[in-house]
Amino acid sequence: MGSTTATGSLTGVTIGGVTAVIHATITDATGFGMSCIASAVVPTGTTANIVTTSATTWERGFVSVYRITGLGSTTPLNSQTQYLTGSTATSLTMVTEPDAIVIAGVVTPRGSNTSFVWTSPLTENLDKKITGENSNISTASVAATGGTVACIATPSISATRYATGVSFR
């Protein structure tokens, strides 16, 4: 999930009333943009509200939802964050094990009207521009076979961005 106009970092997430664990979060020095990955164990088939809390008021935010079953643990094998400006590709190197899953996301703040191309082996799941905001969220995932997975997202134009990645097994 991410925010394009938040001031202050995310302090909590609940999914269907279940407190989620925040695994990776990054906020820039001004608190103007943020990217976060959080998870909660909820019953199969749950339809639920996802509620975020912050130390201050947000104007708007994005949420991308994944359903993952059969995890051995909800404790990540690895988590990483990255803050970048310019046109250099976002690059997170995630440590995995056989039968792991990797999830990565990139958020751009207001005024960064870009899209992203994810490099294989990741499959893009979402690349959404917010109309009138010139901001973007892009997420990707892959079922890993072990070793490391390079999570590379190349922006279409020079942009400030906040990236997070997590691997689970």
PDB file of all heavy atoms in Angstrom, residues 59-84:
ATOM      1  N   GLU A  59      -4.496  12.516   2.790  1.00  0.00           N
ATOM      2  CA  GLU A  59      -5.466  12.966   1.804  1.00  0.00           C
ATOM      3  C   GLU A  59      -5.969  11.795   0.966  1.00  0.00           C
ATOM      4  O   GLU A  59      -7.119  11.726   0.615  1.00  0.00           O
ATOM      5  CB  GLU A  59      -4.854  14.025   0.885  1.00  0.00           C
ATOM      6  CG  GLU A  59      -4.613  15.338   1.580  1.00  0.00           C
ATOM      7  CD  GLU A  59      -4.010  16.351   0.634  1.00  0.00           C
ATOM      8  OE1 GLU A  59      -4.212  16.232  -0.600  1.00  0.00           O
ATOM      9  OE2 GLU A  59      -3.326  17.249   1.121  1.00  0.00           O
ATOM     10  N   ARG A  60      -5.058  10.894   0.600  1.00  0.00           N
ATOM     11  CA  ARG A  60      -5.427   9.740  -0.217  1.00  0.00           C
ATOM     12  C   ARG A  60      -4.345   8.673  -0.126  1.00  0.00           C
ATOM     13  O   ARG A  60      -3.227   8.958   0.280  1.00  0.00           O
ATOM     14  CB  ARG A  60      -5.654  10.130  -1.674  1.00  0.00           C
ATOM     15  CG  ARG A  60      -4.427  10.687  -2.352  1.00  0.00           C
ATOM     16  CD  ARG A  60      -4.709  11.445  -3.627  1.00  0.00           C
ATOM     17  NE  ARG A  60      -5.717  12.459  -3.540  1.00  0.00           N
ATOM     18  CZ  ARG A  60      -5.525  13.681  -3.062  1.00  0.00           C
ATOM     19  NH1 ARG A  60      -4.358  14.056  -2.628  1.00  0.00           N
ATOM     20  NH2 ARG A  60      -6.504  14.537  -3.010  1.00  0.00           N
ATOM     21  N   GLY A  61      -4.713   7.463  -0.511  1.00  0.00           N
ATOM     22  CA  GLY A  61      -3.760   6.369  -0.470  1.00  0.00           C
ATOM     23  C   GLY A  61      -4.186   5.267  -1.421  1.00  0.00           C
ATOM     24  O   GLY A  61      -5.276   5.301  -1.987  1.00  0.00           O
ATOM     25  N   PHE A  62      -3.307   4.294  -1.600  1.00  0.00           N
ATOM     26  CA  PHE A  62      -3.545   3.141  -2.468  1.00  0.00           C
ATOM     27  C   PHE A  62      -3.448   1.877  -1.631  1.00  0.00           C
ATOM     28  O   PHE A  62      -2.657   1.821  -0.697  1.00  0.00           O
ATOM     29  CB  PHE A  62      -2.430   2.996  -3.517  1.00  0.00           C
ATOM     30  CG  PHE A  62      -2.097   4.201  -4.320  1.00  0.00           C
ATOM     31  CD1 PHE A  62      -0.989   4.972  -3.997  1.00  0.00           C
ATOM     32  CD2 PHE A  62      -2.850   4.542  -5.420  1.00  0.00           C
ATOM     33  CE1 PHE A  62      -0.630   6.051  -4.772  1.00  0.00           C
ATOM     34  CE2 PHE A  62      -2.503   5.622  -6.198  1.00  0.00           C
ATOM     35  CZ  PHE A  62      -1.393   6.380  -5.879  1.00  0.00           C
ATOM     36  N   VAL A  63      -4.198   0.852  -2.007  1.00  0.00           N
ATOM     37  CA  VAL A  63      -4.057  -0.464  -1.384  1.00  0.00           C
ATOM     38  C   VAL A  63      -4.114  -1.510  -2.488  1.00  0.00           C
ATOM     39  O   VAL A  63      -5.000  -1.479  -3.340  1.00  0.00           O
ATOM     40  CB  VAL A  63      -5.176  -0.733  -0.347  1.00  0.00           C
ATOM     41  CG1 VAL A  63      -5.053  -2.142   0.203  1.00  0.00           C
ATOM     42  CG2 VAL A  63      -5.137   0.284   0.780  1.00  0.00           C
ATOM     43  N   SER A  64      -3.165  -2.429  -2.481  1.00  0.00           N
ATOM     44  CA  SER A  64      -3.155  -3.574  -3.381  1.00  0.00           C
ATOM     45  C   SER A  64      -3.202  -4.814  -2.491  1.00  0.00           C
ATOM     46  O   SER A  64      -2.417  -4.924  -1.555  1.00  0.00           O
ATOM     47  CB  SER A  64      -1.879  -3.566  -4.232  1.00  0.00           C
ATOM     48  OG  SER A  64      -1.864  -4.652  -5.118  1.00  0.00           O
ATOM     49  N   VAL A  65      -4.121  -5.725  -2.756  1.00  0.00           N
ATOM     50  CA  VAL A  65      -4.365  -6.865  -1.862  1.00  0.00           C
ATOM     51  C   VAL A  65      -3.921  -8.164  -2.528  1.00  0.00           C
ATOM     52  O   VAL A  65      -4.207  -8.403  -3.705  1.00  0.00           O
ATOM     53  CB  VAL A  65      -5.864  -6.959  -1.501  1.00  0.00           C
ATOM     54  CG1 VAL A  65      -6.127  -8.155  -0.602  1.00  0.00           C
ATOM     55  CG2 VAL A  65      -6.335  -5.672  -0.841  1.00  0.00           C
ATOM     56  N   TYR A  66      -3.228  -9.001  -1.762  1.00  0.00           N
ATOM     57  CA  TYR A  66      -2.832 -10.338  -2.199  1.00  0.00           C
ATOM     58  C   TYR A  66      -3.432 -11.363  -1.252  1.00  0.00           C
ATOM     59  O   TYR A  66      -3.463 -11.139  -0.040  1.00  0.00           O
ATOM     60  CB  TYR A  66      -1.303 -10.497  -2.176  1.00  0.00           C
ATOM     61  CG  TYR A  66      -0.600  -9.763  -3.275  1.00  0.00           C
ATOM     62  CD1 TYR A  66      -0.279  -8.418  -3.153  1.00  0.00           C
ATOM     63  CD2 TYR A  66      -0.253 -10.416  -4.447  1.00  0.00           C
ATOM     64  CE1 TYR A  66       0.366  -7.747  -4.168  1.00  0.00           C
ATOM     65  CE2 TYR A  66       0.396  -9.753  -5.471  1.00  0.00           C
ATOM     66  CZ  TYR A  66       0.695  -8.413  -5.324  1.00  0.00           C
ATOM     67  OH  TYR A  66       1.335  -7.751  -6.331  1.00  0.00           O
ATOM     68  N   ARG A  67      -3.873 -12.478  -1.801  1.00  0.00           N
ATOM     69  CA  ARG A  67      -4.312 -13.618  -1.000  1.00  0.00           C
ATOM     70  C   ARG A  67      -3.244 -14.688  -1.146  1.00  0.00           C
ATOM     71  O   ARG A  67      -2.964 -15.154  -2.255  1.00  0.00           O
ATOM     72  CB  ARG A  67      -5.645 -14.146  -1.515  1.00  0.00           C
ATOM     73  CG  ARG A  67      -6.121 -15.367  -0.769  1.00  0.00           C
ATOM     74  CD  ARG A  67      -7.489 -15.815  -1.328  1.00  0.00           C
ATOM     75  NE  ARG A  67      -7.907 -17.016  -0.658  1.00  0.00           N
ATOM     76  CZ  ARG A  67      -7.794 -18.239  -1.176  1.00  0.00           C
ATOM     77  NH1 ARG A  67      -7.279 -18.412  -2.375  1.00  0.00           N
ATOM     78  NH2 ARG A  67      -8.207 -19.281  -0.500  1.00  0.00           N
ATOM     79  N   ILE A  68      -2.637 -15.081  -0.030  1.00  0.00           N
ATOM     80  CA  ILE A  68      -1.591 -16.099  -0.046  1.00  0.00           C
ATOM     81  C   ILE A  68      -2.024 -17.211   0.902  1.00  0.00           C
ATOM     82  O   ILE A  68      -2.361 -16.953   2.055  1.00  0.00           O
ATOM     83  CB  ILE A  68      -0.237 -15.525   0.415  1.00  0.00           C
ATOM     84  CG1 ILE A  68       0.159 -14.338  -0.462  1.00  0.00           C
ATOM     85  CG2 ILE A  68       0.839 -16.603   0.384  1.00  0.00           C
ATOM     86  CD1 ILE A  68       1.370 -13.594   0.048  1.00  0.00           C
ATOM     87  N   THR A  69      -1.999 -18.448   0.432  1.00  0.00           N
ATOM     88  CA  THR A  69      -2.359 -19.586   1.274  1.00  0.00           C
ATOM     89  C   THR A  69      -1.174 -20.538   1.379  1.00  0.00           C
ATOM     90  O   THR A  69      -0.285 -20.538   0.528  1.00  0.00           O
ATOM     91  CB  THR A  69      -3.579 -20.338   0.702  1.00  0.00           C
ATOM     92  OG1 THR A  69      -3.251 -20.821  -0.600  1.00  0.00           O
ATOM     93  CG2 THR A  69      -4.802 -19.436   0.627  1.00  0.00           C
ATOM     94  N   GLY A  70      -1.178 -21.343   2.423  1.00  0.00           N
ATOM     95  CA  GLY A  70      -0.186 -22.393   2.573  1.00  0.00           C
ATOM     96  C   GLY A  70       1.179 -21.936   3.059  1.00  0.00           C
ATOM     97  O   GLY A  70       2.154 -22.668   2.916  1.00  0.00           O
ATOM     98  N   LEU A  71       1.262 -20.742   3.626  1.00  0.00           N
ATOM     99  CA  LEU A  71       2.553 -20.284   4.150  1.00  0.00           C
ATOM    100  C   LEU A  71       2.972 -21.103   5.357  1.00  0.00           C
ATOM    101  O   LEU A  71       2.159 -21.423   6.213  1.00  0.00           O
ATOM    102  CB  LEU A  71       2.483 -18.813   4.576  1.00  0.00           C
ATOM    103  CG  LEU A  71       2.417 -17.759   3.492  1.00  0.00           C
ATOM    104  CD1 LEU A  71       2.316 -16.377   4.125  1.00  0.00           C
ATOM    105  CD2 LEU A  71       3.616 -17.847   2.579  1.00  0.00           C
ATOM    106  N   GLY A  72       4.259 -21.393   5.444  1.00  0.00           N
ATOM    107  CA  GLY A  72       4.800 -22.047   6.632  1.00  0.00           C
ATOM    108  C   GLY A  72       4.917 -21.070   7.782  1.00  0.00           C
ATOM    109  O   GLY A  72       4.841 -21.442   8.946  1.00  0.00           O
ATOM    110  N   SER A  73       5.091 -19.771   7.445  1.00  0.00           N
ATOM    111  CA  SER A  73       5.244 -18.735   8.456  1.00  0.00           C
ATOM    112  C   SER A  73       4.868 -17.384   7.864  1.00  0.00           C
ATOM    113  O   SER A  73       5.107 -17.142   6.680  1.00  0.00           O
ATOM    114  CB  SER A  73       6.695 -18.689   8.944  1.00  0.00           C
ATOM    115  OG  SER A  73       6.904 -17.583   9.799  1.00  0.00           O
ATOM    116  N   THR A  74       4.295 -16.534   8.681  1.00  0.00           N
ATOM    117  CA  THR A  74       4.017 -15.164   8.245  1.00  0.00           C
ATOM    118  C   THR A  74       5.188 -14.237   8.547  1.00  0.00           C
ATOM    119  O   THR A  74       5.123 -13.050   8.283  1.00  0.00           O
ATOM    120  CB  THR A  74       2.738 -14.616   8.904  1.00  0.00           C
ATOM    121  OG1 THR A  74       2.895 -14.703  10.326  1.00  0.00           O
ATOM    122  CG2 THR A  74       1.515 -15.390   8.458  1.00  0.00           C
ATOM    123  N   THR A  75       6.265 -14.789   9.080  1.00  0.00           N
ATOM    124  CA  THR A  75       7.481 -14.011   9.285  1.00  0.00           C
ATOM    125  C   THR A  75       8.246 -13.998   7.961  1.00  0.00           C
ATOM    126  O   THR A  75       8.555 -15.059   7.414  1.00  0.00           O
ATOM    127  CB  THR A  75       8.364 -14.637  10.388  1.00  0.00           C
ATOM    128  OG1 THR A  75       7.613 -14.676  11.598  1.00  0.00           O
ATOM    129  CG2 THR A  75       9.638 -13.831  10.587  1.00  0.00           C
ATOM    130  N   PRO A  76       8.563 -12.829   7.427  1.00  0.00           N
ATOM    131  CA  PRO A  76       9.255 -12.773   6.131  1.00  0.00           C
ATOM    132  C   PRO A  76      10.639 -13.410   6.181  1.00  0.00           C
ATOM    133  O   PRO A  76      11.327 -13.345   7.194  1.00  0.00           O
ATOM    134  CB  PRO A  76       9.387 -11.280   5.846  1.00  0.00           C
ATOM    135  CG  PRO A  76       8.462 -10.602   6.763  1.00  0.00           C
ATOM    136  CD  PRO A  76       8.278 -11.493   7.948  1.00  0.00           C
ATOM    137  N   LEU A  77      11.021 -14.010   5.066  1.00  0.00           N
ATOM    138  CA  LEU A  77      12.402 -14.463   4.897  1.00  0.00           C
ATOM    139  C   LEU A  77      13.311 -13.258   4.735  1.00  0.00           C
ATOM    140  O   LEU A  77      14.459 -13.258   5.162  1.00  0.00           O
ATOM    141  CB  LEU A  77      12.520 -15.342   3.649  1.00  0.00           C
ATOM    142  CG  LEU A  77      11.721 -16.635   3.642  1.00  0.00           C
ATOM    143  CD1 LEU A  77      11.729 -17.253   2.250  1.00  0.00           C
ATOM    144  CD2 LEU A  77      12.294 -17.595   4.668  1.00  0.00           C
ATOM    145  N   ASN A  78      12.782 -12.217   4.080  1.00  0.00           N
ATOM    146  CA  ASN A  78      13.552 -11.031   3.757  1.00  0.00           C
ATOM    147  C   ASN A  78      12.596  -9.877   3.513  1.00  0.00           C
ATOM    148  O   ASN A  78      11.492 -10.080   3.008  1.00  0.00           O
ATOM    149  CB  ASN A  78      14.375 -11.322   2.490  1.00  0.00           C
ATOM    150  CG  ASN A  78      15.323 -10.211   2.083  1.00  0.00           C
ATOM    151  OD1 ASN A  78      15.392  -9.871   0.915  1.00  0.00           O
ATOM    152  ND2 ASN A  78      16.066  -9.646   3.002  1.00  0.00           N
ATOM    153  N   SER A  79      12.991  -8.679   3.867  1.00  0.00           N
ATOM    154  CA  SER A  79      12.239  -7.475   3.508  1.00  0.00           C
ATOM    155  C   SER A  79      13.231  -6.367   3.203  1.00  0.00           C
ATOM    156  O   SER A  79      14.296  -6.292   3.819  1.00  0.00           O
ATOM    157  CB  SER A  79      11.281  -7.065   4.625  1.00  0.00           C
ATOM    158  OG  SER A  79      11.992  -6.689   5.781  1.00  0.00           O
ATOM    159  N   GLN A  80      12.889  -5.543   2.234  1.00  0.00           N
ATOM    160  CA  GLN A  80      13.759  -4.444   1.837  1.00  0.00           C
ATOM    161  C   GLN A  80      12.937  -3.235   1.443  1.00  0.00           C
ATOM    162  O   GLN A  80      11.774  -3.363   1.037  1.00  0.00           O
ATOM    163  CB  GLN A  80      14.641  -4.844   0.652  1.00  0.00           C
ATOM    164  CG  GLN A  80      15.666  -5.882   0.978  1.00  0.00           C
ATOM    165  CD  GLN A  80      16.627  -6.108  -0.176  1.00  0.00           C
ATOM    166  OE1 GLN A  80      16.649  -5.386  -1.168  1.00  0.00           O
ATOM    167  NE2 GLN A  80      17.452  -7.127  -0.047  1.00  0.00           N
ATOM    168  N   THR A  81      13.574  -2.060   1.542  1.00  0.00           N
ATOM    169  CA  THR A  81      12.958  -0.819   1.085  1.00  0.00           C
ATOM    170  C   THR A  81      13.994  -0.028   0.298  1.00  0.00           C
ATOM    171  O   THR A  81      15.196  -0.240   0.440  1.00  0.00           O
ATOM    172  CB  THR A  81      12.462   0.043   2.265  1.00  0.00           C
ATOM    173  OG1 THR A  81      13.588   0.410   3.072  1.00  0.00           O
ATOM    174  CG2 THR A  81      11.439  -0.708   3.105  1.00  0.00           C
ATOM    175  N   GLN A  82      13.496   0.888  -0.520  1.00  0.00           N
ATOM    176  CA  GLN A  82      14.401   1.731  -1.298  1.00  0.00           C
ATOM    177  C   GLN A  82      13.698   3.036  -1.654  1.00  0.00           C
ATOM    178  O   GLN A  82      12.529   3.037  -2.050  1.00  0.00           O
ATOM    179  CB  GLN A  82      14.832   1.010  -2.572  1.00  0.00           C
ATOM    180  CG  GLN A  82      15.877   1.750  -3.379  1.00  0.00           C
ATOM    181  CD  GLN A  82      16.294   0.954  -4.609  1.00  0.00           C
ATOM    182  OE1 GLN A  82      15.455   0.502  -5.380  1.00  0.00           O
ATOM    183  NE2 GLN A  82      17.596   0.784  -4.777  1.00  0.00           N
ATOM    184  N   TYR A  83      14.413   4.138  -1.508  1.00  0.00           N
ATOM    185  CA  TYR A  83      13.951   5.460  -1.927  1.00  0.00           C
ATOM    186  C   TYR A  83      14.863   5.924  -3.054  1.00  0.00           C
ATOM    187  O   TYR A  83      16.086   5.888  -2.900  1.00  0.00           O
ATOM    188  CB  TYR A  83      14.023   6.448  -0.756  1.00  0.00           C
ATOM    189  CG  TYR A  83      13.787   7.883  -1.147  1.00  0.00           C
ATOM    190  CD1 TYR A  83      12.504   8.361  -1.350  1.00  0.00           C
ATOM    191  CD2 TYR A  83      14.855   8.754  -1.329  1.00  0.00           C
ATOM    192  CE1 TYR A  83      12.291   9.676  -1.717  1.00  0.00           C
ATOM    193  CE2 TYR A  83      14.646  10.069  -1.688  1.00  0.00           C
ATOM    194  CZ  TYR A  83      13.364  10.533  -1.887  1.00  0.00           C
ATOM    195  OH  TYR A  83      13.153  11.837  -2.246  1.00  0.00           O
ATOM    196  N   LEU A  84      14.290   6.306  -4.184  1.00  0.00           N
ATOM    197  CA  LEU A  84      15.079   6.748  -5.329  1.00  0.00           C
ATOM    198  C   LEU A  84      14.450   7.954  -5.993  1.00  0.00           C
ATOM    199  O   LEU A  84      13.229   8.138  -5.934  1.00  0.00           O
ATOM    200  CB  LEU A  84      15.164   5.644  -6.391  1.00  0.00           C
ATOM    201  CG  LEU A  84      16.117   4.487  -6.168  1.00  0.00           C
ATOM    202  CD1 LEU A  84      15.929   3.449  -7.252  1.00  0.00           C
ATOM    203  CD2 LEU A  84      17.555   4.963  -6.138  1.00  0.00           C
TER     204      LEU A  84
END
